[in-house]
Amino acid sequence: MIYADNAATTRLSKTALDAMLPYLTEEYGNPSSLYALGQRAKEGIEAARATIARCIGAAPGEIWFTSGGSEADNQALRSAAAIGARQGKRHLISTAFEHHAVLHTLEQLEGEGFEVTLLDVHENGIVTPEQVAAAIRPDTALVSVMYANNEIGTIQPIAAIGAVCRERGVLFHTDAVQAAGHLPINVVTQNIDLLSLSAHKFHGPKGIGVLYARRGVPLRPLICGGAQERGKRGGTENVAAIAGMAAALDAACAGMEQNAKKLTALRDRLIEGLERIPYGQLNGDRQRRLPGNVNFCFEGIEGESMLLLLDDAGICASSGSACTSGSLDPSHVLLAIGRPHEVAHGSLRLTLGEDADEEMVDEIIRAVTGTVTQLRGMSPFWRDLETGRRTHVFAK
Ligand SMILES: *Cc1c(COP(=O)(O)O)cnc(C)c1O
């Protein structure tokens, strides 16, 4: 099997598993308990907090554990909105291609009386600091721009955007879920007030994440209960997952430079191979994208059919389209970069992991090329393009 869907989730690393096992076996104490067994669990949590803080240039007291990236995004936005509302600021700025954890929270906040501006991301999938500066108003409470997009992998100039926000006195949140372990993160030099991470995107376990909140930015609890996480998130901590996440992030950051170099070369080989397929196009900026991310649209193809055929060929990939989640709408990300509906449905995302090599990439190229040819051969839509009854969107 070829696993080329590392943006969806990653394999748990041996390092992470080893860090988790003690807390799933002998060290099962509740971290809130006062006896030694409980206190060792508590120490495990605090060691993990310190490791994660070090990886992103934060202080341990600025690290808050959540159930994952979605919860971190929800809590970041709700906290910033609450801070803003107290000062009479009810305007929020974000982008059209954020993760749904951000977009749907913003929709809820709109229903609660906030005003939301979603910035355009251009055809290259990149927002500029100038756009952010132009959108900021005296009543703006928050700017939320993701570090790297989860579908097309494009990297945003977050340090410069953060600088604009700092200068104008506006809180800046970044969803760094896709960036962590692939791109450098330093919350101080990048002017970040709030940042979201999710362990399962960097070879940690699922169901655990981090919200970084700069000192002085008070969080609003989403889950009320005990005094865990200094009262900002009730519920007994998932000690094993926290320990696994810290070990995974530490390893990912240590190997980042080397992995990024290797993956960038393989990514470019994959892009060059897929560019040989006629009437297809890469989505998102060619250089300013995550090391392992490749995303293409092919005319005359239905994304879901392509995924099923690739699955038969032993390749795990993803389509930008949300059909699998019960909706026939094409990806909001592809629409945001201006792809017309009919080609947005024919998208393919391949995200390589550290196990990738040239042989794997060449096999993916062969399988995708064959699949596109096969599907086009059966498609009435493609026949219309061939006979000139419809016009092509892309060049040959
Ligand atoms: C995966 C992902 C999330 C959600 O993280 P979960 O831990 O699965 O809740 C949020 N934002 C981005 C950019 C993601 O890729």
Side-chain angles (χ1 to χ4, degrees), residues 15 49 140 206 248 290 367:
T15 309
R49 201 186 304 279
T140 304
K206 292 168 184 61
L290 286 170

Side-chain angles (χ1 to χ4, degrees), residues 14-186:
K14 174 86 167 61
T15 309
L17 178 64
D18 287 345
M20 295 172 75
L21 280 173
Y23 300 104
L24 295 168
T25 52
E26 292 83 31
E27 301 292 344
Y28 55 83
N30 186 319
S32 297
S33 299
L34 293 181
Y35 39 77
L37 183 69
Q39 288 307 298
R40 284 201 299 276
K42 172 96 185 134
E43 282 160 24
I45 292 176
E46 296 318 317
R49 201 186 304 279
T51 300
I52 290 166
R54 175 170 48 73
C55 290
I56 65 168
E62 298 173 315
I63 302 297
W64 306 84
F65 295 119
T66 67
S67 67
S70 299
E71 186 185 327
D73 284 343
N74 275 250
Q75 194 169 14
L77 268 53
R78 290 222 157 254
S79 299
I83 295 166
R86 280 199 292 275
Q87 306 165 346
K89 297 178 175 179
R90 301 184 80 85
H91 178 230
L92 311 167
I93 298 172
S94 189
T95 76
F97 76 162
E98 295 296 311
H99 190 272
H100 283 130
V102 167
L103 290 178
H104 290 164
T105 304
L106 290 173
E107 274 172 29
Q108 281 197 348
L109 287 166
E110 259 183 327
E112 296 166 25
F114 288 85
E115 195 185 326
V116 176
T117 299
L118 293 183
L119 300 174
D120 175 36
V121 297
H122 305 113
E123 203 195 335
N124 66 358
I126 294 173
V127 182
T128 65
E130 291 76 22
Q131 278 176 280
V132 174
I136 291 177
R137 313 189 312 211
D139 64 337
T140 304
L142 171 77
V143 170
S144 177
V145 176
M146 68 200 321
Y147 194 162
N149 182 268
N150 47 304
E151 285 187 32
I152 58 175
T154 51
I155 299 167
Q156 311 305 310
I158 54 156
I161 292 172
V164 167
C165 295
R166 201 49 66 82
E167 196 188 305
R168 306 281 290 273
V170 176
L171 289 174
F172 176 50
H173 166 251
T174 187
D175 175 337
V177 171
Q178 290 290 333
H182 298 291
L183 304 174
I185 298 178
N186 185 306

